[in-house]
Protein backbone atom coordinates (compact mmCIF):
# COMPACT_ATOMS: atom_id res chain seq x y z
CA UNK A 1 0.00 0.00 0.00
CA UNK A 2 1.27 3.45 -0.85
CA UNK A 3 1.90 5.87 1.98
CA UNK A 4 -0.77 8.56 2.16
CA UNK A 5 1.40 11.11 0.31
CA UNK A 6 2.01 8.66 -2.52
CA UNK A 7 -1.69 7.83 -2.71
CA UNK A 8 -2.62 11.50 -2.86
CA UNK A 9 -0.11 12.06 -5.67
CA UNK A 10 -1.45 9.06 -7.64
CA UNK A 11 -5.03 10.29 -7.27
CA UNK A 12 -4.05 13.82 -8.33
CA UNK A 13 -2.24 12.42 -11.38
CA UNK A 14 -5.28 10.32 -12.32
CA UNK A 15 -7.54 13.37 -12.04
CA UNK A 16 -5.18 15.39 -14.25
CA UNK A 17 -5.06 12.60 -16.82
CA UNK A 18 -8.85 12.32 -16.71
CA UNK A 19 -9.14 16.03 -17.52
CA UNK A 20 -6.71 15.69 -20.42
CA UNK A 21 -8.21 12.57 -22.01
CA UNK A 22 -11.97 12.85 -21.35
CA UNK A 23 -12.64 14.70 -24.62
CA UNK A 24 -11.22 11.66 -26.45
CA UNK A 25 -13.60 9.28 -24.67
CA UNK A 26 -10.85 7.91 -22.45
CA UNK A 27 -11.64 7.58 -18.77
CA UNK A 28 -9.10 7.48 -15.94
CA UNK A 29 -10.09 6.43 -12.45
CA UNK A 30 -8.35 5.25 -9.30
CA UNK A 31 -9.49 2.34 -7.16
CA UNK A 32 -8.71 2.30 -3.45
CA UNK A 33 -8.60 -1.34 -2.46
CA UNK A 34 -9.34 -2.72 0.91
CA UNK A 35 -8.75 -6.26 2.08
CA UNK A 36 -9.59 -8.46 -0.91
CA UNK A 37 -9.63 -12.23 -0.34
CA UNK A 38 -6.85 -13.28 -2.68
CA UNK A 39 -4.57 -16.29 -2.30
CA UNK A 40 -1.75 -13.88 -1.50
CA UNK A 41 -3.75 -12.17 1.26
CA UNK A 42 -4.76 -15.48 2.83
CA UNK A 43 -1.17 -16.72 2.50
CA UNK A 44 -0.02 -13.73 4.54
CA UNK A 45 -2.53 -14.51 7.29
CA UNK A 46 -1.53 -18.19 7.20
CA UNK A 47 2.10 -17.21 7.78
CA UNK A 48 1.06 -14.89 10.61
CA UNK A 49 -0.92 -17.76 12.10
CA UNK A 50 2.14 -20.02 11.99
CA UNK A 51 4.31 -17.35 13.63
CA UNK A 52 1.88 -16.51 16.40
CA UNK A 53 0.20 -19.88 16.96
CA UNK A 54 -3.19 -18.18 16.67
CA UNK A 55 -5.79 -19.37 14.16
CA UNK A 56 -5.93 -17.46 10.86
CA UNK A 57 -9.61 -16.60 11.32
CA UNK A 58 -8.90 -15.14 14.76
CA UNK A 59 -6.12 -12.94 13.37
CA UNK A 60 -8.20 -11.90 10.37
CA UNK A 61 -11.06 -10.94 12.70
CA UNK A 62 -8.87 -8.15 14.10
CA UNK A 63 -9.03 -6.63 10.60
CA UNK A 64 -12.63 -7.39 9.71
CA UNK A 65 -13.83 -5.92 13.00
CA UNK A 66 -12.70 -2.51 11.64
CA UNK A 67 -14.50 -2.96 8.30
CA UNK A 68 -18.11 -1.76 8.40
CA UNK A 69 -19.12 -4.59 6.02
CA UNK A 70 -17.64 -7.01 8.57
CA UNK A 71 -15.72 -9.11 6.02
CA UNK A 72 -13.02 -9.04 3.37
CA UNK A 73 -14.06 -8.37 -0.19
CA UNK A 74 -14.10 -10.98 -2.91
CA UNK A 75 -12.00 -11.00 -6.04
CA UNK A 76 -15.27 -11.05 -8.01
CA UNK A 77 -16.43 -7.84 -6.34
CA UNK A 78 -13.19 -6.09 -7.27
CA UNK A 79 -13.34 -7.47 -10.82
CA UNK A 80 -16.95 -6.33 -11.23
CA UNK A 81 -16.01 -2.80 -10.19
CA UNK A 82 -13.16 -2.69 -12.69
CA UNK A 83 -15.32 -4.22 -15.43
CA UNK A 84 -17.97 -1.56 -14.84
CA UNK A 85 -15.43 1.25 -15.06
CA UNK A 86 -14.07 -0.22 -18.32
CA UNK A 87 -17.51 -0.73 -19.83
CA UNK A 88 -19.72 1.60 -21.85
CA UNK A 89 -21.95 1.92 -18.78
CA UNK A 90 -19.04 3.41 -16.85
CA UNK A 91 -18.11 5.73 -19.69
CA UNK A 92 -19.24 8.88 -17.91
CA UNK A 93 -17.24 8.12 -14.76
CA UNK A 94 -13.81 9.71 -14.93
CA UNK A 95 -11.39 11.37 -12.54
CA UNK A 96 -12.81 9.49 -9.58
CA UNK A 97 -11.20 7.78 -6.61
CA UNK A 98 -13.45 4.83 -5.81
CA UNK A 99 -12.94 2.87 -2.61
CA UNK A 100 -13.74 -0.82 -2.89
CA UNK A 101 -13.16 -1.66 0.73
CA UNK A 102 -16.40 -2.41 2.56
CA UNK A 103 -16.38 1.09 4.06
CA UNK A 104 -12.96 0.70 5.68
CA UNK A 105 -11.38 3.94 4.49
CA UNK A 106 -13.21 6.79 6.09
CA UNK A 107 -11.11 9.66 4.79
CA UNK A 108 -12.52 12.89 3.47
CA UNK A 109 -11.67 12.04 -0.13
Amino acid sequence: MLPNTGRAAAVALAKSLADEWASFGITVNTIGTGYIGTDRMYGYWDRMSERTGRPRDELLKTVTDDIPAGRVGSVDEMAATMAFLCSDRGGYVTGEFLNVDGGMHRSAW
Side-chain angles (χ1 to χ4, degrees):
M1 184 178 299
L2 291 172
N4 285 335
T5 55
R7 186 177 306 133
V11 171
L13 175 61
K15 287 182 177 288
S16 293
L17 291 171
D19 289 345
E20 292 291 324
W21 293 96
S23 64
F24 298 101
I26 298 171
T27 61
V28 181
N29 295 289
T30 310
I31 297 176
T33 60
Y35 283 93
I36 303 298
T38 63
D39 291 341
R40 182 177 177 181
M41 187 210 73
Y42 286 121
Y44 168 80
W45 289 104
D46 286 340
R47 288 188 303 279
M48 292 300 293
S49 176
E50 289 173 13
R51 288 182 190 148
T52 64
R54 295 171 57 195
R56 176 180 82 178
D57 291 342
E58 180 183 310
L59 294 171
L60 195 51
K61 187 172 178 348
T62 63
V63 171
T64 58
D65 281 350
D66 288 336
I67 301 172
R71 62 180 179 83
V72 298
S74 73
V75 172
D76 289 342
E77 289 169 318
M78 180 59 70
T81 302
M82 289 191 267
F84 168 75
L85 290 172
C86 293
S87 73
D88 289 340
R89 291 184 176 195
Y92 200 59
V93 180
T94 193
E96 292 302 316
F97 176 77
L98 180 64
N99 280 316
V100 182
D101 64 1
M104 185 174 148
H105 293 102
R106 298 173 189 94
S107 68
W109 52 291

